[in-house]
Structures are given as C-alpha cells and as structure tokens.
Amino acid sequence: MMEEDMENGRSYQERPRTFSTVRSKSSIPLVFRLLMRINPRALIILSLLVFSGVLYVGASTSPIVVFVFCICTLSLFFSLYLTKWVLTKDEGPPEMSEISDAIRDGAEGFFRTQYGTISKMACILAFVILGIYLFRTSTPQQEASGLGRATSAYITVASFLLGALCSGIAGFVGMWVSVRANVRVSSAARRSAREALQIAVRAGGFSAIVVVCMAVFGVAILYSTFYVWLGVDSPGSMKVTDLPLLLVGYGFGASFVALFAQLGGGIYTKAADVGADLVGKVEQGIPEDDPRNPAVIADLVGDNVGDCAARGADLFESIAAEIISAMILGGTMAQRCKIEDPSGFILFPLVVHSFDLVVSSVGILSIRGTRDSGLVSPIEDPMAIMQKGYSVTIMLAVLTFGVSTRWLLYTEQAPSAWLNFAMCGLVGIITAYAFVWISKYYTDYKHEPVRLLALSSSTGHGTNIIAGVSLGMESTALPVLVISVAIISAYWLGQTSGLVDESGDPTGGLFGTAVATMGMLSTAGYVLTMDMFGPIADNAGGIVEMSQQPESVREITDVLDAVGNTTKATTKGFAIGSAALASFLLFSAYMDEVASFSQLPFKEVDIAVPEIFVGGLLGSMLIFLFSAWACSAVGKTAQEVVNEVRRQFIERPGIMDYKEKPDYGRCVAIVASASLREMIRPGALAIISPMAVGVIFRILGHSTGQPLLGAKVVASMLMFATVAGILMALFLNTAGGAWDNAKKYIETGALGGKGSESHKAAVTGDTVGDPFKDTAGPSLHVLIKMLATITLVMAPIFL
C-alpha cells in the first residue's frame, strides 16, 4: 500500500497519520483533577468562600495586603481572558493537530514523572529541615516573642513545601499553555505573521501573569496568615519587623524545585536537540524539524519542558526570593530607624509586583494583530513590535513605581527619603533595560557580533567555535559594568535618603539596593512573556515543518523563531542581573541572621584568613564543577540519542524516502529517563556542598576558638560563587544564543545558505552552544539564588 502511494507521488505525510502516544496516565496534577470533578456551582461557591477568608485575613493584617489581593485576583481573571482568547483560535488541518497532540503527550508525561521525582526529594529535604530546626538554638527575638523551636520548625517546613508546590504549579502553567498554543500559532502563520505573533505573545502572557500572581499571592498569604496566627505586634508577641524572616523557607522551596526543573528540562531539550541536529542535519542533510528525523518529537517536547516549564519555575523563584529578601531588609531598616509604622517598608515589594501585573497586562494588550498577510514588514519586524510593548511597560512601571514609593515609603523622619528610593527604582528599571539591550546586541543577527560569528563559519568549524567562545567572553564586560554601577548608585541613594539609626549613622544603603532590585523586576511579567514567546514560536516552526506546509508559512515561523531565540537570550540576561542583585540582598540578610543567632557582630568577611580564602576557592570551584556536570549530562544523553537515530536510519532505510515511519516514542523515552537520572548529581552537589563546608569548618572553628568560622567560610563560598556564577552564566547564555542565531542568519540565505559548508560549521557551533544556553547557563542563575537561600535557612548549623 505504501509503495503504491509512493509510485503515485504520495508520501505518508499526505495520508492520515498518528503519532505514537508517549504517556499512559493522565498527567494533570491531582489537585486539578479533583477540582474538575466538583460541580461548577459548588466550585464557584467554594472559591467565593476561600476568597472571602483570604480577604478577611488580609484585612486583619493591613489595607495594603487587601490591595495586593484585589490586584492579584483581577490579574487571574485577566489571565483567564487570555486563555479563552488563545484557545478559541483554530488548530489548523488534522496533520498539525496530530503532531501537537504527540508533543503535548510527551511534555505532560515527562512533567508528571519529573515533578514526581522532585516532590519526593522535596519531602526528604523537608524532614531534614525539620530536624535541624527542632534542635537548633532560638534567637533572643524568638524567645522574647514566645516562638518556640517546634513552632519555628513547622513554620519553616510548611513555607518550604508551599514554595515548592507553587513553583511546581508555575512550571505546569508554563508548559500547559505552550503545548496548546504552538499549533494555533502554526495555523495562524498560514494567514498572517502578525496574527501568529499576537497569539504567541498572549499565550506567553497568560503564563507570565499567572506566575507573577502566584509569587505575590503566595508570599502575601503566608505573611498575613502568620501575622494573624502569631498575633504579631500584640504585647509579648513577635514584632512585625521580624516576621519576614519566617518566609525564607518559601523562597528556598521555590529555588529547590526551580533548580531541578531547570536541570532536568534543560538536559531533556538539549540532548534531543543535539542528537537530532548531529544526525539529521550534519549526517543526513535533512532540514531542521524534518518528520523523517526520529528525534524530532523529542526535540519539540523538550522546548516545552525545558524552556516553558523550567522558565516558569525559575521566574517564580526569582520574584519570590527578591520579595522576601526586600521585606527582610525593609523590616530591619525600619527597626533600626525606629519608624513608627514599618508596614509600608515591609509590604512595599508586594505592591511593586502588584503594579507589575497591571503594567505588564497593558504591555501584552498593546501588541495587536492585523489582517495583513505574509511576512512582517522590515519596519515592523516581530522584535520591534515586542520592543514597543516593552517600552510601554517600562514607561508605566516608572510612573507606578513613583506612586508606590510616595504611598508606602514616606516617613516624617525623612520626608524626602521616598524620592531617593524612587530614584533607586529608576536605577533598577534602567538596569533591566540595559541588560535587555546588551543581550539583544550580542545575540540578534541584525547586529555585528552575530554576523561576524556567522562569517567565521565560512572558514571552518574550528574558527566558528573560537569566534563563539571569544564573543561569549566579551559579552560579560558590559553587564558587569552595568551591575556595578547599579549597586553603587542604589546604595549611595539609599545612604543619602536621610534615614538614620539611633546613633545617627545612615542605614538606607542596603534597602536602596533592594529597591533597585524591585525596580529591575517591576516589568517581570512582560519579560517572562517575551521569554515564553520563544519556545512557542520554535514549536510552531517544528509543527509547520513536520506537517509539510508551504515554504511561505515556514518563512514566517522562521522569523518568529529567530526573534524567539533573541528574546530568550535577553530574558536570560535579565534573570542573571536580577539574580546578582537578589543574591547581594540575601547575602546581607544571611549576615544579619548569623549575628542574631550567635549574638556576635558579623559585618565583614576577611578573605586574608586562610580558611575563608579556601571557602572562596570552593565556591568558585562549585560553579565550574556544576557547569561541567550539567554539560556532561547533555553530552551523555545526546550520545544515546545519536546512536538511536543512527540505528533507525540503518535498520529502516525507507525513512529517508518516506516509505517507513520513524519510532519517535523511542527517542522520547531515552531522553526522558536519562534526563531524570542525570539531573540528580549536579542538583545534589548544589544542595550538599554549602552544608558540608559549613559543618566541617564549624567543627574546625570550635576546636581553634573561632566560633563564627563556619559561617564566615560559607559566606566567602557564597560570595565567590555568586561572582563566578554571574560571569559563567553570562558567558554560556550569550555564546549559546549567538551560535544559534548565527546559524539562523546563514539559513536566511547568507554565506551560501542551508546545506553550505558555512551552514555545516554553524550547525556545529549551535550544537556546542545548546547545553550552554539552555542547560548550564539557566541553571547557574537558579543555583546562585538557591545557594543564598539555603545558607539563610541552614544558618544555625554553621554556628
């Protein structure tokens, strides 16, 4: 039958076909399955009751919290509107839907297995945290408020588990929308590039709004619940300025899940991508996402679990960690300055991110579709359209940030302090914009660096690799200069705000840096939208190629895909910058926590002390070893994929002539099992290393009469790991993104186009860069923040 079809000029693509199912169980989380079984009316009543309870708790805490809850609730309704709008779009012809179903099955199946593994590890770690907190000493503040060790332990564990759960849900939301939007973008590309762009942006916007909303909602609910339950600020109870320290477990839980999600998803997506490219493009000479490639479905699945699910958890963790660290510093400063009502300084981060939801929603809606067909014009290319939306978001963020500072940070003790802090926020917003621009300059093929990298491909594979490595190294300079100027500027503005402690010393420096970090993340919703746009566009291009759509449609998705690579690179740069500032804040909070527990001053770390210098070396080494193991995991898994794809081409020679179908499910199974296995080693290294180093040097310190040695060595380790990690992540992300877009630039017809020797060299560079930009690089900035949160949570065992 198949041979007869071939003789008549028909390939199996022209017949109804099904793609192998790669899961056997429903992958919808249990919570959602239970909710789906409830009667709709009963669910509405239950939701109203829950919302009323939340509002009551918020009203019992502060009117500011009520404002935050209302904004978050409205944002959730807006996300539902975006979902409905995207899902009403058509899925195109049956062949597109079948490919999309296979991708969705693979992504949801892997998500279920991966997060099942992560949840088991989180439960084990929760018991470890419980044991540590049950046997640790209490701080004088906790003893004075009557907060016992058992209560503190259960609060920290509950916060940790809630943070882990919310981070997992954030990842699920990111993946859920991407596997449903990809086929709709593919279908829209048959009509208009602008319509396809709008669908991809709004799908990414849904995920972004939900992720930011959950981060803000989660912290706000925890804060208000603890406020009411513990009777904060009542006689003999905890002070409100000490309350944010109880939320640290939430940030640790979020970063724990984000790290393993990023590792597992990154290994999955890049192992499949490398395997598909090496055999398909280089050896067999077939196009990217060609249906004859046995690894193509695994590659498309990887875009969703690696870029969408993992990035959702990552940004959730970034926002949660930044909010908590800023709340801690705000409370500390308010206490030192004896501010009568410190709630404004503590709750300021929640209000900033509530306004982030509003301004990002406006930015998303500013991107509208048109009925023009064909490619987007050179004047209004997709990147320019998205940049316009970002500019709208930035301008609104500046206005709302000024309103927030005047509302919450005005105090009679320093009437002009709010203006200084507003300037700190402006510094952060400018820093975010600078990071986006720098990343775009080094990764967009419209600019010179990527074009020079593409030109180096014309002289061979080796010169392409050399040029890519040098580009990545050079790209670290400008971001570091920007971060340095931002930290110093914000610190100086905070110090000169007029806020002083009892002895008359300025105390606003660190909080000024915290405000700058909030300014940088004040457009996080729109930035995450741009990031989610990338893998959705990439998947859409794969569906178009596999369903054998006309070349004009593929040209549209190629343009969107190239822009998606750039937006992914810019958001990774944005995430690194925010990680640097957030880690600086958490480092300061760690030093305050150690001083509180030990009742000894801890204001500086002297690296001239041999043990402390060794801690710095270990921190730097951790970054390189972690990166090596992450890249090695991709390499090992990719080897298995390469061998499998080669085997299928040898044993099924009819694949190349469309006479036999590849076994897509086999490659999916290989990368799924291998990625889950390989993510354990680097993840365990990140968790165990700081605890082991702290305990070892704690023992050494007690034997030599240095009670704070363990805490100081861990501080040095954290400091050096942050510096080395920022530089390494910048190098890996930028080099990988530049290699990818150099290849896409050649595929537009430059330097010989597809199939030329330059293209083959560029494919090699892209293959080398894959684990850089989508596995090791993104995992590093999660690692940096997780090291900061784990040291803060585990501080008692270092003393």
Side-chain angles (χ1 to χ4, degrees):
M1 179 69 182
M2 185 174 289
E3 286 77 4
E4 182 181 344
D5 288 334
M6 293 301 299
E7 289 174 4
N8 294 329
R10 295 177 63 199
S11 67
Y12 69 79
Q13 279 77 14
E14 298 172 89
R15 305 189 313 152
R17 46 193 191 284
T18 57
F19 289 81
S20 53
T21 300
V22 290
R23 66 178 173 91
S24 57
K25 297 181 180 179
S26 172
S27 59
I28 300 175
L30 179 62
V31 175
F32 293 107
R33 294 205 303 271
L34 292 175
L35 289 175
M36 289 166 64
R37 295 177 184 174
I38 300 177
N39 181 278
R41 292 182 180 178
L43 187 60
I44 291 173
I45 295 173
L46 179 63
S47 300
L48 289 174
L49 289 175
V50 170
F51 181 68
S52 300
V54 168
L55 276 183
Y56 171 78
V57 173
S60 303
T61 305
S62 168
I64 300 171
V65 176
V66 175
F67 171 80
V68 170
F69 284 157
C70 291
I71 294 293
C72 288
T73 303
L74 291 174
S75 299
L76 285 175
F77 281 113
F78 174 68
S79 68
L80 291 176
Y81 160 75
L82 291 179
T83 309
K84 183 179 179 181
W85 187 90
V86 170
L87 295 181
T88 55
K89 301 299 178 180
D90 69 281
E91 297 186 359
E95 55 267 27
M96 281 188 174
S97 299
E98 290 173 6
I99 298 167
S100 175
D101 289 344
I103 296 170
R104 182 166 64 247
D105 287 348
E108 293 182 345
F110 176 75
F111 181 90
R112 182 179 185 276
T113 306
Q114 181 192 29
Y115 277 76
T117 303
I118 294 173
S119 63
K120 293 173 185 175
M121 293 189 292
C123 290
I124 294 172
L125 186 57
F127 280 109
V128 173
I129 295 172
L130 181 64
I132 291 172
Y133 271 68
L134 283 175
F135 295 100
R136 74 170 193 171
T137 57
S138 300
T139 65
Q141 293 89 343
Q142 291 174 339
E143 292 176 356
S145 63
L147 186 66
R149 284 184 295 183
T151 304
S152 177
Y154 292 129
I155 285 175
T156 304
V157 170
S159 300
F160 171 80
L161 292 176
L162 181 62
L165 175 64
C166 291
S167 185
I169 295 174
F172 176 77
V173 167
M175 183 270 302
W176 185 90
V177 68
S178 67
V179 297
R180 287 161 176 79
N182 52 16
V183 68
R184 291 169 169 83
V185 175
S186 301
S187 179
R190 298 178 302 154
R191 299 183 293 273
S192 163
R194 189 68 178 264
E195 183 185 352
L197 170 68
Q198 187 185 23
I199 294 173
V201 168
R202 291 198 171 188
F206 160 73
S207 177
I209 295 298
V210 171
V211 167
V212 177
C213 192
M214 282 180 54
V216 177
F217 229 143
V219 175
I221 287 175
L222 267 184
Y223 177 88
S224 53
T225 301
F226 292 158
Y227 187 98
V228 173
W229 177 38
L230 299 175
V232 173
D233 271 350
S234 59
S237 65
M238 174 179 281
K239 294 182 179 179
V240 69
T241 52
D242 296 325
L243 182 57
L245 281 170
L246 297 180
L247 309 177
V248 173
Y250 185 83
F252 181 32
S255 60
F256 175 84
V257 171
L259 179 67
F260 281 98
Q262 191 69 69
L263 276 172
I267 293 168
Y268 187 113
T269 182
K270 289 303 109 181
D273 195 2
V274 169
D277 283 354
L278 285 179
V279 183
K281 287 184 178 180
V282 178
E283 295 182 7
Q284 300 295 330
I286 59 179
E288 185 173 1
D289 300 326
D290 192 287
R292 292 170 291 180
N293 195 324
V296 67
I297 289 291
D299 183 13
L300 296 174
V301 168
D303 291 334
N304 296 286
V305 299
D307 288 331
C308 293
R311 185 69 69 240
D314 178 7
L315 261 294
F316 173 87
E317 179 268 338
S318 294
I319 296 167
E322 176 266 328
I323 289 175
I324 293 168
S325 59
M327 291 175 75
I328 292 172
L329 291 177
T332 302
M333 187 194 69
Q335 188 175 26
R336 289 174 179 172
C337 297
K338 302 296 182 183
I339 294 175
E340 185 175 346
D341 182 12
S343 60
F345 289 85
I346 296 172
L347 298 175
F348 179 67
L350 295 174
V351 173
V352 168
H353 284 290
S354 297
F355 280 123
D356 171 22
L357 290 167
V358 176
V359 300
S360 296
S361 299
V362 174
I364 292 166
L365 291 176
S366 70
I367 298 178
R368 297 183 175 275
T370 65
R371 295 193 176 276
D372 297 336
S373 60
L375 286 170
V376 180
S377 65
I379 297 175
E380 278 203 327
D381 63 87
M383 193 67 204
I385 294 170
M386 297 185 75
Q387 284 281 50
K388 287 180 182 177
Y390 186 49
S391 298
V392 170
T393 306
I394 285 280
M395 288 188 290
L396 291 174
V398 171
L399 294 175
T400 56
F401 207 95
V403 171
S404 301
T405 51
R406 179 61 180 82
W407 173 25
L408 298 173
L409 302 185
Y410 177 82
T411 173
E412 294 292 341
Q413 293 174 235
S416 63
W418 72 271
L419 187 58
N420 282 51
F421 290 129
M423 295 299 294
C424 291
L426 184 61
V427 167
I429 292 172
I430 293 172
T431 301
Y433 193 85
F435 260 86
V436 169
W437 184 88
I438 292 168
S439 299
K440 178 177 177 291
Y441 174 74
Y442 278 107
T443 56
D444 193 338
Y445 63 59
K446 294 184 180 66
H447 300 292
E448 185 180 19
V450 175
R451 296 203 174 198
L452 290 176
L453 177 57
L455 183 62
S456 71
S457 303
S458 61
T459 53
H461 301 250
T463 50
N464 173 277
I465 300 300
I466 293 169
V469 170
S470 63
L471 184 151
M473 290 180 174
E474 179 188 321
S475 70
T476 62
L478 285 177
V480 168
L481 292 175
V482 169
I483 291 175
S484 303
V485 171
I487 290 175
I488 293 173
S489 301
Y491 189 87
W492 181 82
L493 285 168
Q495 283 290 88
T496 57
S497 64
L499 290 171
V500 295
D501 59 15
E502 291 179 321
S503 59
D505 297 326
T507 60
L510 282 176
F511 187 68
T513 309
V515 173
T517 309
M518 285 181 269
M520 189 171 185
L521 286 170
S522 63
T523 56
Y526 191 86
V527 172
L528 181 56
T529 298
M530 292 196 297
D531 187 75
M532 291 293 184
F533 165 85
I536 292 172
D538 192 358
N539 254 213
I543 292 172
V544 166
E545 181 69 36
M546 287 195 70
S547 60
Q548 302 291 287
Q549 298 299 309
E551 186 65 25
S552 59
V553 181
R554 180 66 198 188
E555 288 176 5
I556 290 176
T557 55
D558 280 347
V559 171
L560 296 179
D561 187 14
V563 170
N565 281 332
T566 303
T567 58
K568 285 192 292 184
T570 57
T571 51
K572 286 169 187 171
F574 174 88
I576 294 168
S578 64
L581 293 175
S583 297
F584 178 72
L585 303 180
L586 289 168
F587 180 77
S588 303
Y590 166 73
M591 295 180 73
D592 289 340
E593 179 86 342
V594 170
S596 177
F597 273 107
S598 64
Q599 292 299 291
L600 295 171
F602 186 29
K603 297 184 179 296
E604 59 187 24
V605 179
D606 186 2
I607 62 172
V609 177
E611 295 90 345
I612 295 176
F613 181 73
V614 168
L617 283 177
L618 292 174
S620 301
M621 176 272 292
L622 172 63
I623 296 300
F624 283 84
L625 184 59
F626 178 88
S627 302
W629 283 0
C631 290
S632 174
V634 173
K636 289 178 182 177
T637 309
Q639 289 175 28
E640 296 182 43
V641 177
V642 166
N643 291 332
E644 173 61 24
V645 175
R646 284 175 176 168
R647 182 191 67 79
Q648 291 197 33
F649 277 126
I650 292 171
E651 295 180 2
R652 301 184 182 189
I655 288 177
M656 289 299 294
D657 298 323
Y658 297 103
K659 293 180 180 179
E660 294 183 80
K661 293 178 74 172
D663 183 359
Y664 301 110
R666 177 62 185 153
C667 288
V668 170
I670 288 173
V671 290
S673 60
S675 59
L676 292 175
R677 181 179 68 249
E678 296 290 342
M679 75 178 184
I680 302 297
R681 188 170 65 154
L685 174 72
I687 295 170
I688 295 172
S689 295
M691 292 192 289
V693 169
V695 171
I696 291 171
F697 281 95
R698 170 195 175 183
I699 296 171
L700 181 62
H702 281 288
S703 64
T704 57
Q706 303 176 73
L708 291 183
L709 183 62
K712 289 181 177 180
V713 171
V714 170
S716 176
M717 182 182 187
L718 176 59
M719 188 186 306
F720 278 70
T722 300
V723 172
I726 290 168
L727 293 173
M728 179 68 83
L730 285 169
F731 162 69
L732 294 174
N733 285 332
T734 309
W739 267 317
D740 195 350
N741 271 349
K743 177 199 70 175
K744 293 197 177 300
Y745 174 62
I746 293 174
E747 289 175 348
T748 62
L751 302 172
K754 293 182 180 181
S756 64
E757 291 302 316
S758 297
H759 183 240
K760 291 178 181 178
V763 169
T764 300
D766 179 35
T767 303
V768 172
D770 276 340
F772 284 18
K773 67 183 175 70
D774 287 320
T775 306
S779 298
L780 273 177
H781 61 75
V782 181
L783 170 67
I784 292 168
K785 288 172 287 186
M786 198 192 76
L787 288 175
T789 54
I790 195 173
T791 51
L792 191 56
V793 172
M794 301 294 183
I797 69 173
F798 307 145
L799 302 172

